[in-house]
């Protein structure tokens, strides 16, 4: 577990899970949102993002959280461990709503309200994005450790188990 990706619906808690993992393992953490987005809400090109990712891939250890689908297969090919937070839609909506107005280190701006398109992205994630994610997981499962969590409890239990393994408990 040296090259890790954390994926799932917006609002699932990918960044929170990733930060806990970083704090336990001391593996550098990179947030796709911070790599891709500028402070003004615009973003770099897919090619620029891929170049940034390729620089990260050259290092021995990394955690990358985020769900930018256009680079997902690239990240899956490069990682050795995948954590998928496959939580119910309402859990993700509640998670996204709970962070409105809060400064975060995984996003270059403060969300002032729940954007209608963003909310639709969460609501449609299970039908629009999840099938492709599972298809990629199936394609690459032979060479990767894959962890799929259906609840926050399962994700928290995994973090606890990793803490025990690393001697932090």
């Amino acid at each position: 577990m040296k090259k890790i990706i954390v994926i799932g619906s917006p609002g699932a808690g990918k960044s929170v899970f990733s930060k806990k993992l970083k704090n336990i393992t001391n593996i550098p953490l990179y947030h796709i949102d911070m790599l891709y987005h500028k402070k003004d809400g615009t973003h770099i090109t897919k090619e620029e993002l891929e170049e940034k990712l390729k620089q990260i891939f050259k290092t021995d250890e990394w955690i990358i959280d985020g769900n930018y689908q256009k680079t997902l297969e690239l990240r899956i090919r490069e990682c050795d461990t995948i954590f998928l937070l496959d939580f119910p839609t309402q859990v993700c909506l509640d998670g996204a709503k709970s962070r409105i107005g809060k400064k975060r280190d995984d996003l270059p701006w403060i969300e002032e309200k729940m954007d209608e398109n963003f909310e639709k992205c969460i609501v449609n994630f299970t039908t629009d994005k999840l099938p492709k994610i599972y298809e990629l997981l199936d394609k690459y499962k032979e060479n990767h450790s894959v962890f799929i969590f259906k609840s926050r409890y399962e994700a928290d239990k995994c973090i606890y188990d990793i803490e025990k393994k690393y001697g932090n408990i």
Side-chain angles (χ1 to χ4, degrees), residues 9-14 16 88-104 107 110-123 152:
S9 172
K14 297 178 299 295
V16 172
T89 301
Q90 191 59 52
V91 170
C92 298
L93 284 169
D94 291 345
K97 289 175 184 173
S98 74
R99 64 190 191 199
I100 293 172
K102 296 178 181 170
K103 181 166 176 28
R104 301 167 33 206
L107 193 64
I110 296 175
E111 296 168 304
E112 299 297 332
K113 63 183 176 84
M114 177 68 89
D115 177 80
E116 186 178 320
N117 290 330
F118 185 61
E119 186 171 357
K120 283 181 187 174
C121 177
I122 297 170
V123 168
R152 292 202 193 282

